[in-house]
Amino acid sequence: MKNFENLPDIFTFFDGEKVLTADDWERRRKELKDWFTENVFGCYPFGAEKGFTFSVDAVENSDRAIIKRISMHKGDYEGKFSLFLPPHVQNPPVLVYAILKNYEDKFDLSDVDNYEKTPSVTSLPLGVILDRGYAVAAYFVSAAAPDEPEGEKKGINSVLIKKQTSVSARAIAAWSFFAKRIADYLESENQVNAKKMGVLGHSRGGKTALYTAATDERFSFAFVSNSGCTGAAIARDNTGERLKDINYNFPHWFTQVYKSYSGKEEQLPVDFHMLVSLVAPRLLYVTSSTEDAWACPENEFASCRLASEVYSRIYGVKGLIADETPVADKAYHEGNLAYHIKTGKHSFDYYDWLKCLDFLDKKWK
Ligand code: GTR
């Protein structure tokens, strides 16, 4: 594993106090959760999550799938998602999946017979997932907030945030907020097992999935694909995408405060192994790809290694059990924190899905 100098310590509070007990960790966890929300992804006004209503607008039944088309409402806002249920399984686990902007028109969410057909960069092989006994709740990120500059002011945020400030929730927070409202719905849906609820995503969707699981314990699993900068990758000594790149190229993703760290990674009071550690002791699967230097696989892996200490030291469970340097195409599934680096480009493809389902079969069945 790569060594980092001057990495802030997970087990030391901002004021220097040390985490000695499990109770201390719960306080530290809250400190970190609040820090990432207030400084990176952005905040919603108190009670923003209240007052949503849901309607099931259509139900389609076949021997392949039960599909529910659902919408959530608050004020003038309406956001849609689809729930796919395997008809042959009682109370299946359910996976919440964000479909990214550039691929929205390439997904046919009526084609439940698809196995490998969806775009290879960020796939959703519904046929396989349903056959293996998992339900899927899928949404387009644009249903929450458009992925474009100024997008942070639109969609769900336009109803919840009267005026954007330097700490207000921005686009990734909106996609995450939407996943959490899907979780609200799923908790009242008697056709799924909401105790086995996962959140999954690729790249910017991976950042979203990680932040969502880090801040909402109802998700007992997260699959974080090639999430890189401001996802699982440690920001210090990052040889790929830097804070200045991401803040410049995607001004609507993160808060104004976070932009002040562009070029100043060393001044962050945290690093992203801490975001990863917030998922402990729940199931987490982080992936990298060999040809994805921009996401800095070394820093994604190191992050998992360091976060593993929270699994073992605080909760007494196995985190990541892996070789010192991960071997390509070898899946590390032993502990609660799984990892693989696949041969290939920046993607969440069919291979990743199969490994994801193998891991869940092992842990959940
Ligand atoms: C890249 C970006 C990454 C990642 C990715 C994606 O261009 O620099 O942070 O989010 O896009 O979402 O596809």
Side-chain angles (χ1 to χ4, degrees):
M1 184 186 93
K2 182 167 162 183
N3 272 323
F4 295 86
E5 278 171 31
N6 305 323
L7 203 58
D9 176 33
I10 298 185
F11 298 109
T12 307
F13 286 86
F14 294 140
D15 69 2
E17 184 191 342
K18 298 281 178 206
V19 170
L20 300 174
T21 65
D23 286 349
D24 292 346
W25 170 252
E26 287 310 315
R27 280 191 296 121
R28 171 67 169 152
R29 214 157 78 85
K30 178 160 189 326
E31 176 175 82
L32 289 171
K33 226 187 323 187
D34 291 349
W35 195 92
F36 283 108
T37 295
E38 288 161 15
N39 293 277
V40 182
F41 298 95
C43 314
Y44 281 101
F46 185 74
E49 72 283 6
K50 302 224 165 70
F52 279 84
T53 56
F54 298 89
S55 57
V56 177
D57 305 324
V59 182
E60 300 152 39
N61 275 298
S62 74
D63 57 356
R64 297 287 297 115
I66 302 162
I67 310 176
K68 295 189 175 183
R69 309 291 182 188
I70 302 163
S71 49
M72 64 174 87
H73 309 260
K74 181 168 174 168
D76 292 339
Y77 172 77
E78 179 185 74
K80 293 180 184 297
F81 62 98
S82 297
L83 176 62
F84 301 86
L85 299 152
H88 54 286
V89 183
Q90 292 272 318
N91 294 319
V94 56
L95 308 176
V96 178
Y97 185 73
I99 297 171
L100 305 180
K101 175 194 167 191
N102 294 343
Y103 308 97
E104 292 193 343
D105 60 352
K106 300 187 175 63
F107 279 87
D108 177 356
L109 289 183
S110 56
D111 181 9
V112 291
D113 283 323
N114 91 59
Y115 284 78
E116 296 181 59
K117 276 186 280 176
T118 48
S120 59
V121 170
T122 167
S123 61
L124 183 62
L126 280 169
V128 182
I129 304 168
L130 292 164
D131 285 351
R132 295 215 13 197
Y134 293 85
V136 174
Y139 67 102
F140 292 131
V141 293
S142 60
D147 189 2
E148 62 193 25
E150 307 277 304
E152 77 280 5
K153 300 185 183 130
K154 300 176 186 160
I156 213 163
N157 286 5
S158 69
V159 173
L160 301 177
I161 301 172
K162 291 294 158 248
K163 191 174 179 308
Q164 279 271 342
T165 71
S166 61
V167 298
S168 293
R170 296 175 72 90
I172 290 193
W175 308 339
S176 171
F177 186 93
F178 193 90
K180 292 170 184 177
R181 303 293 69 77
I182 293 180
D184 296 343
Y185 170 82
L186 293 172
E187 285 192 304
S188 65
E189 164 61 76
N190 59 20
Q191 286 183 283
V192 299
N193 179 356
K195 294 266 177 285
K196 291 182 177 167
M197 187 155 66
V199 58
L200 298 81
H202 169 63
S203 202
R204 63 199 75 186
K207 307 180 209 296
T208 309
L210 178 58
Y211 174 64
T212 303
T215 51
D216 190 335
E217 286 162 48
R218 294 175 300 171
F219 290 99
S220 44
F221 170 61
F223 190 92
V224 176
S225 163
N226 297 200
S227 60
C229 178
T230 319
I234 290 174
R236 283 170 175 78
D237 198 13
N238 186 318
T239 53
E241 185 174 26
R242 313 299 308 266
L243 264 53
K244 68 172 171 31
D245 302 313
I246 206 165
N247 281 326
Y248 179 79
N249 292 326
F250 306 102
H252 55 297
W253 283 359
F254 308 113
T255 63
Q256 291 305 114
V257 189
Y258 192 53
K259 294 181 177 55
S260 67
Y261 289 102
S262 290
K264 298 182 188 155
E265 283 84 351
E266 296 302 322
Q267 292 177 21
L268 287 165
V270 299
D271 214 315
F272 284 82
H273 59 308
M274 297 178 181
L275 186 61
V276 174
S277 78
L278 296 177
V279 185
R282 290 166 288 148
L283 301 178
L284 173 62
Y285 199 146
V286 172
T287 70
S288 311
S289 303
T290 54
E291 293 168 45
D292 190 16
W294 191 235
C296 204
E298 274 190 299
N299 288 29
E300 294 178 312
F301 178 72
S303 207
C304 296
R305 260 285 162 75
L306 294 166
S308 270
E309 269 195 65
V310 174
Y311 283 81
S312 52
R313 190 164 137 189
I314 303 291
Y315 297 104
V317 298
K318 287 180 191 165
L320 175 64
I321 307 295
D323 299 306
E324 187 56 29
T325 301
V327 176
D329 305 317
K330 179 167 166 187
Y332 298 100
H333 283 182
E334 191 181 331
N336 280 10
L337 204 175
Y339 178 84
H340 71 239
I341 175 164
K342 73 160 182 287
T343 301
K345 294 193 187 350
H346 182 67
S347 68
F348 180 173
D349 64 19
Y350 190 60
Y351 171 88
D352 299 300
W353 272 105
L354 295 182
K355 295 293 165 196
C356 170
L357 298 174
D358 289 349
F359 178 65
L360 290 179
D361 283 356
K362 177 174 164 142
K363 298 290 179 181
W364 274 349
K365 288 203 171 150

